[in-house]
Amino acid sequence: MPVTLSQTTSRYWVGDFHEGVILSAGIGSRLRPLTLHKPKCCVTVDGEPILARQLRAYDDAGVTNVTVIAGYLADETKRICERIDRQRPNLDITVRTSEVFANTDNMYSLSLAAKDVAGKEFVLSNGDVVFDTGLLETVVESDADSAVACDTEQFSEEAMKVSVDENDRLTHIDKEISEADAYGCSTDVYRFSADFSRMLFEEITKTIERENEYCEWTELAIDTIVRNKNHDLSVADVSQYRWVEIDDFTDLESADLLFSSLSSLESKEAIFFDLDGTVYLDDELVDDAKARLETLQESGVDVYFLTNNSSRWKDDYVEKLNSLGVECDMNSLLLSTDGVIQFLADTDDEVFVLGTTAMRDALADHGIETDSDDPDHVVVGFDTELTYKKTREATLAIRNGATFLLAHPDAVCPTAEGMVPDCGSIGALVERATDRKPDRIFGKPNAEMIQHVLDANGYAPEDVVVVGDRLETDVQLAENVGCESVCVLTGDATRADVEQSDIDPTLVAPSIEVLDQFISVSSEASAQRVIDEGAS
């Protein structure tokens, strides 16, 4: 049975055109593990499910009655429809469910909407396409009685291509059309007249009834009509609009970049880059990190580096970055250890540090003794020189009443070989041994990690960006500060992690390399670098 989510008075608009269908029954197996717990139409782009974006576009284009065909994990699809229904009171959404989605293609899904739109004008889209609202509006407002939204400026082997006659009427639609014969690529968005709608559903019925053929595409029925009958299906050129059909992770990556709401980076006052897993892995820069950082610095953006890694002190990081060709000084480095020092420097309390020699020396240089036999505070850091003796002393001190201070919460540290235990894991060992949770945790995602820099330089949150590889620390830090964020997938986070998290980065990027797409001066700066390097 269909589920009708609302009944409201339809608006009148040009053409008195009301009906729409979104085909969203598919599994999306090429997007696993993202689609293990949600259908493909519910995968997010720029923090919003694909289906929700389409429903809003339909409403903005004036389509008032939309039938959504659900299938795989239909309850997830229905939940999105219910949410948009509440937000858009002029939009009537009917959900029909395919019970055989695993063994059918979108022709069968469209057949389920026959009672809603057969013989009527309607707009059709596949539920795995992300597009600008203007694309749908162009199709709806086209002078043609029937139209397929076509991008005439690109050619894709995976996309449906169309060929047309001298009057721009379709003569063929198929994936196998050659580039020489293709007028353009279909964006899987259509507008059908009442006459074409009638022929389309007649052809779909014949195809499905013929030997129970359910595994066919709607385009087969369209192609049969345009090749054998008089018809009114023309094209609407939508090349000026953004669109991505999302079949696999490469497509999703493209959509994440194309539809991100991230502001232009050279318009920012400052950008804070995480190090491990973002700028480098072990002793190797990630992709083209050096060029991206240089472009930002050349465009006048203040670049800072921050890390929760408390195993080293600032001079070590400066030396490492400089050796990798990245310009950096002590003033542009922010460590979780900074917060520990600031907290302890205001007291005369006794301290014991479970940490590396570098961390202990850093505290000692700020007047903090680190080897008290009867400490008031125990600091647990990322100790790559961990011994049982130090762990034993820290545990006993905390059991005797010392304050438990954790330098940062990262459970693992990314390396070229994979993830290894970090400060959070060492802290968990002490926590289990003492039956005490940390009294205070420093570093990311605490806003204080960078807030003092914003205050000192007069940066507003909207004028800065945090770039990192961890949702729970880097991106959460940005949310705590109230600024934009970039989550790169070269370290801790995966695209599946982003999909399952309530923490929403402004941009999900495969690596720091793609940031040049958000720097309008990148080409000029890169060209100048080539000239300079050639001269040297």
Side-chain angles (χ1 to χ4, degrees):
M1 292 291 291
V3 179
T4 301
L5 301 177
S6 67
Q7 297 292 334
T8 61
T9 302
S10 296
R11 295 169 293 178
Y12 174 82
W13 60 287
V14 178
D16 197 27
F17 199 97
H18 301 296
E19 307 295 336
V21 178
I22 302 176
L23 305 179
S24 300
I27 296 173
S29 58
R30 285 190 281 174
L31 285 175
R32 288 174 177 159
L34 272 64
T35 52
L36 289 176
H37 305 291
K38 62 173 65 174
K40 183 163 62 167
C41 67
C42 297
V43 170
T44 60
V45 173
D46 195 32
E48 186 72 4
I50 301 169
L51 177 59
R53 300 175 69 99
Q54 283 205 20
L55 287 168
R56 290 197 175 96
Y58 272 75
D59 186 44
D60 291 341
V63 181
T64 54
N65 307 313
V66 178
T67 300
V68 175
I69 307 301
Y72 175 64
L73 298 176
D75 287 345
E76 296 296 321
T77 302
K78 291 174 184 176
R79 270 193 280 273
I80 289 176
C81 292
E82 289 165 357
R83 175 164 63 85
I84 301 302
D85 182 73
R86 291 191 297 270
Q87 296 172 353
R88 298 288 179 122
N90 288 313
L91 193 63
D92 294 345
I93 305 172
T94 298
V95 180
R96 298 189 182 279
T97 303
S98 170
E99 302 298 338
V100 290
F101 58 85
N103 301 308
T104 58
D105 285 322
N106 70 357
M107 181 187 290
Y108 179 79
S109 293
L110 181 55
S111 74
L112 300 179
K115 62 184 66 177
D116 302 302
V117 298
K120 298 180 183 179
E121 292 181 303
F122 75 99
V123 180
L124 172 68
S125 62
N126 284 340
D128 61 355
V129 183
V130 184
F131 51 76
D132 287 326
T133 296
L135 184 151
L136 188 66
E137 290 175 341
T138 296
V139 176
V140 167
E141 297 171 5
S142 171
D143 292 335
D145 293 323
S146 300
V148 51
C150 283
D151 188 335
T152 61
E153 295 182 0
Q154 63 172 293
F155 180 86
S156 169
E157 294 290 346
E158 285 294 312
M160 286 285 177
K161 275 77 69 178
V162 303
S163 58
V164 300
D165 63 18
E166 63 276 7
N167 297 314
D168 288 343
R169 293 289 175 91
L170 254 69
T171 57
H172 192 22
I173 180 169
D174 194 276
K175 281 190 176 183
E176 302 305 318
I177 296 176
S178 68
E179 187 168 6
D181 294 331
Y183 174 83
C185 288
S186 167
T187 64
D188 295 335
V189 178
Y190 302 86
R191 168 184 168 176
F192 298 120
S193 66
D195 284 342
F196 200 98
S197 172
R198 175 183 51 77
M199 290 190 291
L200 178 61
F201 280 95
E202 287 175 356
E203 188 61 38
I204 287 173
T205 300
K206 290 178 185 177
T207 304
I208 290 176
E209 290 178 349
R210 185 172 59 245
E211 299 178 0
N212 293 320
E213 185 59 75
Y214 293 162
C215 294
E216 291 292 354
W217 299 99
T218 298
E219 285 78 9
L220 175 65
I222 296 172
D223 189 56
T224 300
I225 295 170
V226 301
R227 299 184 76 160
N228 298 291
K229 297 182 180 181
N230 292 327
H231 67 89
D232 58 9
L233 184 57
S234 186
V235 292
D237 191 343
V238 295
S239 304
Q240 70 269 39
Y241 299 110
R242 300 174 299 174
W243 68 280
V244 179
E245 179 188 7
I246 300 177
D247 289 323
D248 54 29
F249 278 95
T250 299
D251 298 331
L252 183 57
E253 177 184 306
S254 297
D256 283 336
L257 294 172
L258 191 61
F259 288 91
S260 172
S261 54
L262 182 69
S263 305
S264 174
L265 292 181
E266 77 271 13
S267 69
K268 299 297 183 181
E269 295 288 340
I271 302 182
F272 296 85
F273 286 91
D274 171 60
L275 291 176
D276 296 306
T278 301
V279 173
Y280 57 67
L281 283 168
D282 289 343
D283 295 322
E284 297 289 334
L285 288 176
V286 171
D287 294 338
D288 206 11
K290 180 177 181 290
R292 297 293 81 76
L293 295 167
E294 286 178 348
T295 299
L296 287 167
Q297 290 165 336
E298 290 165 2
S299 66
V301 179
D302 294 334
V303 173
Y304 293 87
F305 302 98
L306 65 161
T307 178
N308 272 350
N309 192 330
S310 57
S311 65
R312 301 180 178 185
W313 184 235
K314 295 184 179 183
D315 53 352
D316 296 317
Y317 287 107
V318 169
E319 181 180 354
K320 178 172 183 174
L321 287 168
N322 289 342
S323 71
L324 293 172
V326 175
E327 181 180 337
C328 175
D329 57 35
M330 296 277 280
N331 293 326
S332 59
L333 266 169
L334 307 174
L335 272 61
S336 61
T337 311
D338 291 331
V340 176
I341 291 172
Q342 184 177 1
F343 177 81
L344 295 174
D346 295 331
T347 73
D348 293 324
D349 295 342
E350 298 289 311
V351 177
F352 178 83
V353 175
L354 176 59
T356 60
T357 300
M359 183 184 190
R360 294 155 71 91
D361 288 346
L363 269 65
D365 289 344
H366 286 79
I368 302 168
E369 296 299 326
T370 60
D371 290 306
S372 173
D373 293 330
D374 186 22
D376 300 292
H377 308 285
V378 170
V379 178
V380 175
F382 179 22
D383 192 353
T384 56
E385 304 155 4
L386 186 65
T387 65
Y388 184 80
K389 181 178 183 296
K390 285 192 287 185
T391 308
R392 179 179 183 277
E393 292 180 23
T395 299
L396 291 173
I398 293 171
R399 280 189 166 276
N400 287 332
T403 301
F404 181 4
L405 305 177
L406 188 65
H408 65 87
D410 295 2
V412 292
C413 177
T415 71
E417 289 78 26
M419 298 296 179
V420 298
D422 205 327
C423 182
S425 295
I426 298 172
L429 183 158
V430 175
E431 181 179 333
R432 183 65 181 269
T434 60
D435 199 25
R436 283 263 308 276
K437 292 186 178 296
D439 294 288
R440 180 159 181 173
I441 302 175
F442 298 88
K444 300 175 289 184
N446 297 313
E448 64 188 25
M449 183 80 174
I450 65 172
Q451 188 62 54
H452 64 286
V453 177
L454 272 65
D455 295 340
N457 293 278
Y459 303 142
E462 60 267 23
D463 294 329
V464 304
V465 180
V466 174
V467 181
D469 67 302
R470 295 176 186 266
L471 292 165
E472 295 79 8
T473 54
D474 301 313
V475 180
Q476 185 63 60
L477 167 65
E479 290 195 2
N480 292 342
V481 172
C483 68
E484 293 183 324
S485 63
V486 178
C487 180
V488 294
L489 305 180
T490 47
D492 180 71
T494 65
R495 188 58 179 79
D497 293 333
V498 175
E499 198 66 28
Q500 296 167 8
S501 176
D502 293 329
I503 304 170
D504 292 322
T506 316
L507 168 68
V508 183
S511 79
I512 195 175
E513 184 175 19
V514 302
L515 294 185
D516 63 345
Q517 298 181 35
F518 299 87
I519 310 171
S520 62
V521 298
S522 61
S523 296
E524 179 182 347
S526 297
Q528 186 60 51
R529 258 198 314 277
V530 171
I531 295 172
D532 294 342
E533 290 172 358
S536 62

